Amino acid sequence: MGLFSKDIKNMDDLFVHTLRDIYYAEKQIVKALPEMIEKSSDAQLKQGFQTHLRETENHVKRLEQVFQLAGKKPQGVDCPAIDGIIEEAEDVAGEVEQKSVLDAALIAAAQAVEHYEITRYGTLISWANQLGRKDCVTFLQQNLDEEKATDKKLTAMAEAQVNRKAA
Amino acid sequence: MGLFSKDIKNMDDLFVHTLRDIYYAEKQIVKALPEMIEKSSDAQLKQGFQTHLRETENHVKRLEQVFQLAGKKPQGVDCPAIDGIIEEAEDVAGEVEQKSVLDAALIAAAQAVEHYEITRYGTLISWANQLGRKDCVTFLQQNLDEEKATDKKLTAMAEAQVNRKAA
């Protein structure tokens, strides 16, 4: 981004900027998930994070297809939001003593990540529809549906067992 | 937080830590909203941000009641997540040239903030229920309901007019 010029001139630019933002975010999540898998002790939660790591790798690939449809090279852009969310997850995890409480904290951290992705995909889909790019919507919607499903699974795991064990 | 000790020993501690996190976040949002009001040009959006500023001031007060119920002094804790989300909102807004495109970017930024709050309140309510603190749930649920309503209003404004003007 330029220091003295405003680089987002129109909605197409804003769409591509936000696509680069979520592309960077998905790649950071691919890097962060192995530590969350390692730190979790509940077997179902560990398995859930592993499944979501594979899904996230797939989200990166779908985004690369959206870049291609938009005629742009896949490229990330600094995303202080996801950096902050991941940094906070690591900070809190480092403060928790008991394994069962750590599982509850990991679920909360993962849901903060999911909600960030849900809001960005919701926005991108709305803009792509307005810009007449239904071809892009298809891939973005698949990612959004998987993020929403993951968020719901995490709530179910928390309420069925993890929070009970921790309390 | 201690450098050499783990300060979150149990679920009560994790609950209070996350309460401090959202307390800090709500106060940062109170500080950030006036700039969003000033930058927005769509009259309905400007009005929506003004209404949400008053709601957010009220959320801070409700959180202070939750601290009181939990027998703790209202106190924030560093929250890199909301700092990152707000920093990113300011970065993107600074890059946008056209007013109508800026309105679309401001809505996206505000929805990222809402989703952060939605996930944190969802988690706090789930933990408060598990800890048998229905008294805390009442206040947290009121905040959550208003955040969800704001998120929906922003989507409606974006799709009914702002995105159309911007595209």
Side-chain angles (χ1 to χ4, degrees):
Chain A
M1 296 285 130
L3 255 181
F4 302 105
S5 67
K6 290 179 183 267
D7 288 344
I8 300 172
K9 311 275 183 207
N10 53 43
M11 280 302 284
D12 283 304
D13 293 345
L14 185 60
F15 176 79
V16 171
H17 179 88
T18 306
L19 192 62
R20 287 184 175 151
D21 176 285
I22 192 71
Y23 185 63
Y24 172 88
E26 291 280 19
K27 289 178 118 181
Q28 293 308 106
I29 297 162
V30 167
K31 286 186 202 163
L33 272 166
E35 205 179 318
M36 296 181 79
I37 293 167
E38 203 195 306
K39 281 183 182 164
S40 55
S41 53
D42 180 274
Q44 204 191 336
L45 179 59
K46 207 182 261 291
Q47 180 59 49
F49 282 149
Q50 273 159 343
T51 303
H52 195 56
L53 173 55
R54 288 191 296 274
E55 279 177 354
T56 306
E57 287 164 346
N58 218 14
H59 295 174
V60 171
K61 287 182 198 152
R62 284 200 198 108
L63 287 175
E64 287 166 355
Q65 292 180 280
V66 178
F67 275 109
Q68 201 175 9
L69 289 170
K72 300 281 174 188
K73 226 179 90 178
Q75 196 185 329
V77 68
D78 277 352
C79 172
I82 199 70
D83 287 343
I85 292 166
I86 292 173
E87 183 190 332
E88 185 165 316
E90 288 167 355
D91 286 355
V92 174
E95 289 294 335
V96 178
E97 207 173 62
Q98 273 184 54
K99 282 188 173 182
S100 60
V101 178
L102 180 55
D103 279 347
L106 289 171
I107 288 183
Q111 290 192 291
V113 170
E114 289 314 306
H115 271 273
Y116 182 71
E117 299 183 280
I118 288 169
T119 191
R120 287 291 180 240
Y121 283 120
T123 293
L124 281 166
I125 288 166
S126 176
W127 290 346
N129 274 321
Q130 187 61 48
L131 294 166
R133 298 304 308 251
K134 298 263 180 219
D135 51 349
C136 297
V137 169
T138 309
F139 293 106
L140 297 167
Q141 189 69 51
Q142 286 170 348
N143 283 9
L144 176 59
D145 291 346
E146 287 184 4
E147 307 298 4
K148 282 189 175 172
T150 299
D151 183 55
K152 278 201 181 129
K153 274 185 231 163
L154 288 166
T155 297
M157 268 187 244
E159 298 194 338
Q161 56 195 60
V162 172
N163 293 353
R164 207 165 299 170
K165 276 198 260 173
Chain B
M1 294 287 129
L3 256 180
F4 301 106
S5 67
K6 291 182 182 264
D7 288 344
I8 300 172
K9 311 274 182 207
N10 53 42
M11 279 304 282
D12 283 304
D13 294 344
L14 186 60
F15 177 79
V16 171
H17 179 89
T18 307
L19 192 61
R20 287 183 175 152
D21 176 285
I22 192 70
Y23 184 64
Y24 172 89
E26 291 280 17
K27 288 178 119 181
Q28 293 308 106
I29 297 162
V30 167
K31 286 187 201 161
L33 272 167
E35 204 179 320
M36 297 181 79
I37 293 167
E38 202 195 306
K39 281 183 181 162
S40 55
S41 53
D42 180 273
Q44 204 193 336
L45 179 59
K46 205 182 263 291
Q47 179 59 49
F49 282 149
Q50 273 159 343
T51 303
H52 195 56
L53 174 54
R54 288 191 297 274
E55 280 177 354
T56 306
E57 287 164 346
N58 219 13
H59 295 175
V60 171
K61 287 182 197 153
R62 283 200 199 109
L63 288 176
E64 287 166 356
Q65 292 180 278
V66 179
F67 275 110
Q68 201 176 9
L69 290 169
K72 301 280 174 187
K73 224 178 91 178
Q75 196 186 329
V77 67
D78 276 353
C79 171
I82 199 68
D83 287 342
I85 291 167
I86 292 174
E87 183 190 332
E88 185 166 317
E90 288 168 354
D91 287 354
V92 174
E95 289 294 333
V96 178
E97 207 173 63
Q98 274 185 53
K99 282 187 174 184
S100 61
V101 178
L102 180 55
D103 280 346
L106 289 171
I107 287 183
Q111 290 192 291
V113 170
E114 290 314 306
H115 271 272
Y116 182 72
E117 298 184 279
I118 288 168
T119 190
R120 286 291 178 240
Y121 283 120
T123 293
L124 282 166
I125 289 166
S126 177
W127 290 345
N129 275 320
Q130 187 60 49
L131 294 166
R133 301 302 308 253
K134 298 263 181 220
D135 51 349
C136 298
V137 169
T138 308
F139 293 106
L140 297 167
Q141 188 68 51
Q142 285 170 350
N143 283 8
L144 176 59
D145 290 346
E146 287 184 4
E147 307 298 5
K148 282 188 176 173
T150 298
D151 183 55
K152 276 201 181 129
K153 274 187 229 162
L154 288 167
T155 297
M157 269 188 243
E159 297 193 340
Q161 56 196 57
V162 173
N163 292 353
R164 206 164 300 172
K165 277 199 260 173

